[in-house]
């Protein structure tokens, strides 16, 4: 009996080994993606990808792989990563007469309450949501919301001045990463929920907001194991127990705020998001549960990404003092008084606009690519025919630092967005064009690009203009590079400790 048992076990073991070898050879030599460049270990298994996603270094490694292999890299058995401008259009753009590339449901699942938000909704529902929400993000709405934005930007300035006054010194140390978070969270909370989170007043993030990044870190872990079904069941079970209560508390707080704002009805004096949604929702384009699911997402997406870009821009301005000097000069010569800084006027500052664009490039707000799926019938991406079901993505971090797309990609050069000749060392020959400006898609592109793009631009311009008009900033401690930070879907932002002093003091 023992002999028979041992023989059976050996046969099973040999069979498993043979099956694994067949899978390995298939993925390396016979798979439809076998001709694409990339590390063999990544072509064989999802393990390298998942391991680095858990460690917070996947975006960095994909960037490195593109530097080695070029503008298309096989990063998993069934996934390709692209960095060319054409690939961005092919993956995320609208395809007239052909199906668009759907979002990858492994990454963009339905919300915890079973209701799709604007991010996770299918194309038909997304179009329905977006038609209604577009009123809240129109140019007219943006102008009517300006007073609310300025109120919080001015409060940011006041809080820093109070900190200086209370210190009794000419200079104080501040963590600008936190101050940016306080400001944009209060703004988007007021616009979406009808009430501030009071972060600027208390110098503390609201509990609901402070747990957001922890959520993304856990989400990265969950996403990293979803390709391994047996492991996923165990990990999800453990995480469900540890996170369920916290997630329920978050949803309860957010839903309560949203419901109170809905109950207040149309408020033409505020002109916040809900004002427009209720005014134009006569045909019930969105149900109340859909509104709640989407508004929860708007607060996260509308705060974390903007705060990240502002922190990145200030980091780069401190690293590149010549750029900072030009920007400060433009701002202070354009406005006699701080109260002169308005939306119309900051939109006319060409160098500030270029600085924001370069900050979006080097800050790479969402560093990983958000995977899409090649639709039925297959499709071309960057000239390559791919079979249906292939996962494809274009990661911001790799695209924005690609030498195929940008000259001197590691240098903060706003002039590249002014059509001016870039700055060169004596050993470099000038080339006035940056070939990859179409590869900068900080707000994505196509029918599912970021609906809050114009609001984010206005927030960043107003905040930067006000701060640089009022204060002088310098490093406190050792400078650090933006790309030194880890990423778990979003950047794990470090404290940006700076010296703050009133201008001219």
């Amino acid at each position: 009996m023992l002999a028979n048992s041992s023989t059976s076990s050996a046969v099973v073991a040999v069979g498993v080994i043979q099956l694994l070898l067949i899978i390995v050879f298939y993925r390396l030599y016979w798979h439809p993606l076998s001709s694409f460049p990339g590390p063999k270990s990544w072509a064989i298994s999802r393990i390298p990808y998942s391991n680095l996603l858990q460690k917070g270094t996947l975006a960095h490694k994909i960037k490195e792989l593109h530097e080695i292999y070029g503008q298309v890299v096989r990063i998993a058995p069934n996934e390709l990563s692209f960095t060319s401008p054409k690939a961005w259009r092919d993956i995320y753009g609208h395809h007239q007469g052909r199906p668009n590339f759907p979002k990858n449901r492994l990454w963009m699942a339905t919300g915890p309450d079973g209701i799709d938000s604007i991010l996770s909704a299918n194309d038909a529902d997304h179009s329905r949501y977006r038609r209604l929400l577009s009123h809240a993000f129109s140019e007219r709405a943006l102008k009517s919301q300006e007073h609310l934005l300025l109120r919080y930007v001015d409060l940011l300035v006041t809080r820093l001045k109070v900190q200086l006054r209370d210190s009794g010194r000419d200079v104080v140390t501040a963590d600008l990463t936190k101050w940016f978070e306080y400001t944009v969270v209060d703004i988007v909370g007021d616009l979406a929920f009808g009430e501030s989170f009071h972060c600027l007043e208390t110098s503390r993030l609201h509990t609901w907001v402070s747990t957001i990044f922890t959520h993304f870190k856990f989400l990265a872990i969950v996403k990293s194991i979803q390709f391994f079904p047996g492991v996923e069941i165990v990990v999800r079970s453990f995480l469900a127990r540890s996170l369920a209560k916290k997630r329920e508390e978050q949803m309860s707080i957010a839903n309560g705020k949203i419901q109170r704002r809905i109950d207040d009805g149309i408020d033409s004096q505020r002109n916040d998001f809900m004002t427009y949604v209720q005014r134009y929702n006569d045909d019930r384009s969105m149900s109340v549960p859909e509104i709640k699911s989407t508004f929860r997402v708007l607060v996260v997406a509308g705060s974390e990404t903007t705060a990240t870009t502002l922190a990145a821009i200030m980091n780069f301005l401190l690293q590149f003092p010549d750029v900072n000097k030009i920007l400060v000069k433009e701002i202070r010569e354009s406005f006699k008084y701080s109260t002169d800084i308005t939306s119309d006027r900051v939109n006319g500052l060409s160098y500030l606009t270029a600085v924001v664009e370069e900050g979006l490039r080097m800050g790479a707000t969402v560093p990983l690519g958000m995977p899409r799926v090649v639709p039925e019938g297959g499709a071309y991406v960057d000239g390559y025919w791919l079979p249906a079901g292939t996962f494809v993505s274009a990661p911001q971090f790799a695209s924005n630092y690609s030498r195929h797309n940008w000259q001197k990609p590691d240098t903060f050069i706003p002039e590249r967005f002014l059509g001016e000749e870039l700055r060169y060392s004596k050993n470099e020959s000038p080339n006035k064009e940056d070939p990859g400006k179409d590869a900068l898609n900080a707000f994505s592109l196509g029918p599912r690009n970021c609906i809050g793009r114009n609001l984010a631009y206005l927030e960043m311009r107003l905040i930067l203009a006000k701060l640089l008009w009022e204060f002088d900033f310098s490093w406190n401690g050792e400078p650090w590079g933006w790309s030194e930070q880890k990423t778990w879907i979003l950047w794990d932002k470090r404290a940006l400790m700076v010296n703050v002093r009133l201008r001219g003091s």
Side-chain angles (χ1 to χ4, degrees):
M1 290 292 291
L2 288 175
N4 289 338
S5 177
S6 299
T7 302
S8 298
S9 298
V11 169
V12 170
V14 170
V16 170
I17 292 172
Q18 288 177 332
L19 178 61
L20 290 175
L21 286 173
I22 290 171
I23 291 173
V24 167
F25 274 86
Y26 170 75
R27 290 179 174 178
L28 285 177
Y29 304 110
W30 305 317
H31 192 280
L33 304 185
S34 60
S35 62
F36 288 92
K40 284 184 170 54
S41 60
W42 291 55
I44 292 170
S45 168
R46 273 277 179 182
I47 291 175
Y49 179 103
S50 298
N51 180 45
L52 295 177
L53 179 57
Q54 288 185 24
K55 291 181 177 180
T57 58
L58 179 60
H60 304 74
K61 185 62 178 181
I62 290 177
K63 171 180 173 289
E64 179 186 320
L65 292 179
H66 277 287
E67 290 170 353
I68 296 171
Y69 295 103
Q71 290 194 289
V72 55
V73 179
R74 188 181 181 190
I75 59 173
N78 193 42
E79 183 168 350
L80 298 175
S81 176
F82 294 85
T83 59
S84 73
K86 188 175 188 307
W88 272 95
R89 295 191 297 273
D90 290 340
I91 296 170
Y92 302 103
H94 178 68
H95 300 279
Q96 190 69 36
R98 294 178 289 116
N100 295 330
F101 287 40
K103 288 196 171 185
N104 190 323
R105 298 300 289 189
L106 288 174
W107 283 89
M108 200 58 65
T110 300
D113 54 0
I115 305 296
D116 277 312
S117 71
I118 192 170
L119 283 183
S120 61
N122 60 40
D123 283 354
D125 287 337
H126 174 270
S127 179
R128 172 169 57 86
Y129 290 12
R130 184 150 183 148
R131 279 196 302 271
L132 177 60
L133 290 169
S134 63
H135 298 287
F137 291 92
S138 66
E139 186 176 336
R140 176 185 175 189
L142 201 60
K143 188 64 180 174
S144 70
Q145 294 156 359
E146 180 179 3
H147 70 284
L148 188 145
L149 271 65
L150 286 171
R151 182 200 312 163
Y152 288 107
V153 178
D154 287 338
L155 181 56
L156 166 63
V157 170
T158 299
R159 297 289 288 121
L160 290 175
K161 285 183 176 179
V162 167
Q163 193 173 338
L164 274 164
R165 182 199 66 198
D166 291 348
S167 73
R169 293 178 285 117
D170 292 335
V171 60
V172 294
T173 301
D175 178 2
L176 287 187
T177 295
K178 291 297 184 187
W179 283 108
F180 289 142
E181 288 176 345
Y182 300 156
T183 306
V184 297
V185 163
D186 278 352
I187 289 173
V188 76
D190 208 330
L191 284 171
F193 294 163
E195 54 184 283
S196 170
F197 283 104
H198 304 291
C199 300
L200 281 168
E201 297 169 34
T202 61
S203 300
R204 186 175 65 251
L205 283 176
H206 187 279
T207 305
W208 187 81
V209 182
S210 64
T211 57
I212 286 174
F213 189 78
T214 302
H215 168 76
F216 275 104
K217 200 167 182 178
F218 275 109
L219 185 63
I221 295 173
V222 171
K223 297 302 179 185
S224 70
I225 52 89
Q226 64 190 342
F227 306 101
F228 311 99
V231 178
E232 182 185 16
I233 293 172
V234 175
V235 175
R236 275 190 180 275
S237 176
F238 171 76
L239 291 179
R241 290 195 299 270
S242 62
L243 293 178
K245 184 177 180 181
K246 180 63 68 177
R247 186 168 61 183
E248 288 174 7
E249 290 175 355
Q250 286 181 307
M251 282 187 56
S252 178
I253 292 170
N255 287 343
K257 287 177 176 288
I258 297 167
Q259 188 62 56
R260 285 195 296 273
R261 179 63 192 88
I262 290 173
D263 293 341
D264 286 342
I266 297 174
D267 188 342
S268 58
Q269 297 301 311
R270 290 187 52 81
N271 286 317
D272 57 11
F273 297 161
M274 196 65 72
T275 297
Y276 291 94
V277 166
Q278 291 187 303
R279 181 179 295 158
Y280 294 99
N281 202 25
D282 292 339
D283 58 353
R284 298 296 180 264
S285 297
M286 292 178 71
S287 66
V288 170
E290 289 170 341
I291 290 172
K292 289 180 178 179
S293 180
T294 291
F295 271 53
R296 293 196 304 267
V297 166
L298 288 177
V299 170
V300 176
S303 58
E304 177 63 29
T305 53
T306 303
T308 295
T309 305
L310 284 166
I313 290 171
M314 287 303 300
N315 181 293
F316 292 121
L317 288 176
L318 294 173
Q319 287 186 51
F320 297 88
D322 289 346
V323 173
N324 185 59
K325 185 177 180 180
I326 296 170
L327 179 59
V328 168
K329 184 174 185 291
E330 178 186 60
I331 291 169
R332 294 180 183 177
E333 289 184 353
S334 299
F335 306 107
K336 186 175 182 180
Y337 304 103
S338 176
T339 52
D340 294 336
I341 299 175
T342 62
S343 61
D344 289 338
R345 296 191 62 183
V346 294
N347 288 342
L349 299 184
S350 59
Y351 202 73
L352 173 60
T353 297
V355 164
V356 170
E357 291 296 322
E358 184 71 339
L360 287 166
R361 182 186 73 80
M362 291 190 71
T365 313
V366 183
L368 284 173
M370 292 295 100
R372 297 288 179 93
V373 182
V374 175
E376 282 189 39
Y380 282 100
V381 175
D382 200 21
Y384 300 97
W385 178 256
L386 304 178
T390 304
F391 293 178
V392 289
S393 61
Q396 283 190 27
F397 190 45
S399 295
N400 295 359
Y401 282 78
S402 170
R403 296 188 182 278
H404 293 281
N405 295 334
W406 308 95
Q407 298 178 65
K408 306 177 77 172
D410 298 315
T411 305
F412 193 76
I413 307 175
E415 285 80 359
R416 72 175 86 241
F417 293 98
L418 295 173
E420 297 178 11
E421 184 175 312
L422 302 186
R423 286 172 253 164
Y424 297 90
S425 69
K426 293 179 180 178
N427 298 325
E428 293 176 295
S429 58
N431 177 354
K432 294 185 180 182
E433 292 296 326
D434 255 328
K437 288 178 185 175
D438 288 340
L440 177 60
N441 296 287
F443 299 93
S444 194
L445 50 77
R448 302 195 71 141
N449 68 343
C450 177
I451 195 171
R453 170 178 178 154
N454 291 334
L455 174 62
Y457 272 125
L458 180 55
E459 285 181 282
M460 290 187 285
R461 289 167 184 163
L462 285 174
I463 291 171
L464 290 169
K466 287 273 188 177
L467 287 181
L468 295 174
W469 193 93
E470 296 275 6
F471 304 104
D472 292 322
F473 299 95
S474 59
W475 282 111
N476 179 278
E478 286 297 316
W480 51 270
W482 184 255
S483 60
E484 295 173 18
Q485 304 170 115
K486 291 188 175 183
T487 66
W488 281 279
I489 300 178
L490 301 175
W491 291 98
D492 185 11
K493 297 192 296 297
R494 291 174 54 176
L496 184 57
M497 305 305 297
V498 301
N499 296 320
V500 185
R501 66 174 71 238
L502 290 173
R503 57 182 283 192
S505 64

